[in-house]
């Protein structure tokens, strides 16, 4: 009820505070949604103090609750989390301060979304979308890089400037899309598909600067995660800063902590590569020089050997030995021939001595009948029978007499 007051009949502060407290007390318990901006849990204290803020307006209100009420959600609720609080408004009359006495706290908004994202992460991991075996290697020197980022964003500038500073000849195919809001997911998905369909694109970078958890939620969308998993082109995730880990980081072939880090990991540094080439060239030169020096030492050692200093020495030594063997062989063969000649002479003499011709030369004759039969017994020849008498110088006919 309205109070009837005037400058002449004012209401004391205490009365006003009491009346406000009565009105608030009649409000009863309410469900309030907001974002925790401050959280105070003093060790040993039985009460936890929160500051609950409306994310759409710059309005805050203090909340108190017993420790056992907060402990039920302490693992999932912290500063920045959005919660729904079942509380009773309280008015602290001495200070004229309004607060809420919470009897139940439930995580919602980002807290609930994070819980849902954790469930989605586990489900996608169970399908094998985050497996290391599915990761595709990045090319050493990409000729054309696809870039998905916000229009005129710091992320785009960081990637382009750092990449071209490292390798001036690198080329980009850029797709500018919304990176937060309701239109972010479909346009990012479409951009990734378009770049993946270009044969010349060697690698795709999806980049965005830092932001709140709500701002980065599009990069944890299941549709985007599955699109990246199906890409034939290697995909690099460069979302936010080091602590940010949207689900895109897990399915991408490479995670970069920042857009600048993505440029460094995708594009080699021309100065470093030239230095590496110089070092490799020097190493190769040293290896070749060492090999040549080693072979020269081996050649000098081989030339210093006696056989190389006087190549005919071994031949001469072997020639003397061979000449000695030849002489020895000739003497042996000569002895064998002499002995064989002597034996042959003796054998010939014996043969000649025992031959019928030698016997005939000593005056003997051989008598043969007309049929060639040799007469050995006088009874073999009849009286008047003509015989042939063979002597050393020929033969003649004789006739048996009596």
């Amino acid at each position: 009820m309205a109070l009837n007051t005037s400058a002449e009949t004012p209401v004391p502060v205490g009365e006003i505070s009491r009346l406000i407290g009565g009105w608030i007390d009649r409000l009863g318990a309410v469900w309030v949604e907001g974002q925790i901006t401050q959280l105070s849990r003093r060790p040993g204290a039985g009460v936890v103090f929160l500051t609950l803020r409306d994310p759409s307006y710059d309005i805050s209100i203090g909340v108190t609750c017993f420790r056992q009420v907060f402990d039920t959600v302490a693992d999932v609720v912290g500063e920045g989390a959005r919660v729904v609080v079942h509380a009773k408004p309280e008015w602290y009359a001495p200070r004229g301060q309004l607060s809420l006495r919470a009897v139940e706290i439930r995580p919602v908004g980002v807290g609930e979304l994070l819980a849902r994202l954790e469930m989605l992460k586990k489900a996608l991991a169970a399908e094998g979308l985050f497996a290391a075996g599915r990761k595709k290697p990045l090319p050493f020197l990409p000729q054309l890089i696809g870039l998905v980022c916000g229009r005129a964003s710091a992320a785009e500038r960081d990637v382009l400037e750092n990449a071209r500073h490292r390798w001036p000849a690198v080329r980009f195919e850029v797709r500018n899309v919304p990176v937060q809001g309701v239109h972010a997911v479909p346009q990012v998905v479409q951009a990734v598909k378009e770049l993946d369909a270009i044969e010349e694109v060697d690698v795709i970078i999806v980049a965005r600067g830092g932001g709140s958890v709500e701002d980065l939620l599009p990069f944890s969308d299941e549709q985007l995660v599955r699109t990246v998993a199906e890409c034939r082109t290697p995909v690099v995730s460069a979302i936010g800063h080091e602590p940010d880990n949207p689900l895109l980081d897990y399915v991408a072939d490479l995670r970069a902590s920042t857009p600048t880090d993505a440029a460094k990991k995708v594009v080699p540094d021309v100065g470093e590569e030239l230095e590496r080439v110089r070092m490799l060239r020097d190493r190769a030169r040293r290896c070749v020089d060492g090999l040549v020096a080693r072979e020269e030492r081996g050649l000098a050692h081989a030339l210093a050997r006696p056989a190389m200093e006087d190549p005919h020495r071994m031949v001469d030594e072997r020639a003397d030995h061979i000449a000695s063997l030849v002489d020895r062989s000739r003497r042996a063969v000569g002895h064998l021939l002499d002995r064989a000649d002597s034996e042959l002479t003796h054998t010939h003499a014996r043969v000649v001595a025992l031959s019928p011709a030698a016997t005939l030369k000593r005056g003997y004759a051989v008598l043969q009948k007309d049929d060639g039969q040799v007469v050995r017994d006088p009874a073999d020849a009849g009286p008047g029978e003509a015989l042939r008498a063979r002597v050393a110088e020929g033969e003649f006919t004789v006739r048996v007499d009596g």
Side-chain angles (χ1 to χ4, degrees):
M1 296 178 61
L3 296 178
N4 293 322
T5 61
S6 65
E8 291 75 16
T9 59
V11 178
V13 173
E15 181 64 17
I16 288 296
S17 181
R18 184 187 65 80
L19 291 173
I20 293 176
W23 292 333
I24 292 174
D25 190 60
R26 287 195 296 271
L27 182 61
V30 293
W31 288 96
V32 182
E33 180 181 351
Q35 184 178 22
I36 299 175
T37 57
Q38 293 181 355
L39 173 62
S40 176
R41 301 174 65 189
R42 297 186 179 91
V47 179
V48 177
F49 297 91
L50 312 171
T51 299
L52 206 60
R53 176 181 176 273
D54 190 324
S56 302
Y57 305 94
D58 190 15
I59 300 174
S60 301
I61 188 170
V63 179
T64 60
C65 66
F66 291 111
R67 178 173 289 275
Q68 52 267 36
V69 173
F70 186 80
D71 286 345
T72 58
V73 293
D75 294 337
V76 293
V77 169
E79 291 188 3
R82 297 185 63 175
V83 295
V84 169
V85 177
H86 190 212
K88 186 178 185 303
E90 291 184 345
W91 178 258
Y92 187 59
R95 294 185 181 177
Q97 183 176 356
L98 176 66
S99 64
L100 298 176
R101 170 71 68 171
V103 295
E104 183 180 356
I105 300 176
R106 297 180 183 179
V108 295
V110 174
E112 184 177 356
L113 286 174
L114 291 176
R116 294 175 183 173
L117 289 179
E118 185 64 25
M119 295 177 60
L120 177 60
K121 175 183 174 182
K122 293 180 179 178
L124 295 176
E127 293 183 27
L129 297 186
F130 304 157
R134 300 185 72 257
K135 307 294 185 184
K136 296 178 285 294
L138 270 62
F140 167 71
L141 180 59
Q143 301 299 311
L144 182 62
I145 301 175
L147 177 60
V148 180
C149 59
R151 185 178 302 277
S153 62
E156 178 181 7
R157 183 178 62 256
D158 290 345
V159 172
L160 295 180
E161 290 182 356
N162 282 279
R164 286 167 179 160
H165 176 73
R166 292 172 64 83
W167 200 277
V170 69
R171 296 182 297 119
F172 280 90
E173 184 74 21
V174 182
R175 294 290 185 273
N176 294 122
V177 297
V179 290
Q180 66 184 65
V182 295
H183 301 294
V185 173
Q187 294 199 30
V188 171
V189 168
Q190 180 63 27
V192 170
K193 289 182 177 179
E194 288 179 3
L195 293 174
D196 186 51
I198 301 176
E199 293 291 337
E200 292 78 11
V201 173
D202 298 318
V203 62
I204 299 173
I205 300 177
V206 181
R208 186 201 191 284
S212 64
V213 177
E214 294 95 329
D215 294 339
L216 301 182
L217 285 176
F219 298 96
S220 293
D221 185 82
E222 181 177 0
Q223 181 185 3
L224 176 58
V225 170
R226 294 189 180 278
T227 299
V228 171
E230 295 172 357
C231 285
R232 62 164 186 84
T233 309
V235 178
V236 177
S237 173
I239 306 302
H241 302 294
E242 183 66 35
D244 300 323
N245 288 106
L247 296 186
L248 181 63
D249 286 351
Y250 299 97
V251 72
D253 299 291
L254 178 68
R255 177 193 179 258
S257 57
T258 62
T260 300
D261 184 49
K264 292 180 179 180
K265 289 184 175 180
V266 172
V267 181
D269 185 86
V270 63
E272 294 178 358
E273 296 306 319
L274 289 175
E275 179 64 17
R276 183 176 291 109
V277 170
R278 185 191 64 78
M279 293 176 60
L280 292 174
R281 185 186 295 117
D282 292 343
R283 181 181 177 184
R285 183 180 295 110
R286 289 194 300 271
C287 291
V288 172
D289 290 344
L291 177 62
V292 172
R294 185 169 63 251
E295 295 301 324
E296 286 179 346
R297 289 193 299 270
L299 181 59
H301 178 72
L303 292 174
R305 298 180 64 181
M308 297 300 295
E309 289 184 346
D310 185 7
H312 296 284
R313 179 179 178 182
M314 184 180 296
V315 176
D316 294 340
E317 292 177 353
R318 294 295 184 271
D320 293 341
H321 182 64
I322 291 173
S324 175
L325 292 177
V326 169
D327 292 341
R328 183 178 176 183
S329 299
R330 286 176 176 172
R331 289 194 300 270
V333 172
H335 292 320
L336 290 176
L337 292 177
D338 291 343
R339 186 170 59 191
D341 182 67
S342 177
E343 292 179 354
L344 182 60
T345 300
H346 293 304
T347 302
H348 181 265
R350 289 196 300 271
V351 170
V352 169
L354 296 176
S355 67
T359 302
L360 294 178
K361 284 183 179 181
R362 291 198 299 268
Y364 291 94
V366 177
L367 299 178
Q368 293 177 310
K369 293 184 178 184
D370 292 338
D371 57 2
Q373 182 180 357
V374 177
V375 178
R376 293 180 176 83
D377 190 345
D380 293 336
E385 184 177 357
L387 299 176
R388 286 184 299 112
R390 184 175 181 178
V391 295
E393 298 302 331
E395 64 180 22
F396 52 88
T397 303
V398 297
R399 187 175 300 276
V400 179
D401 185 12

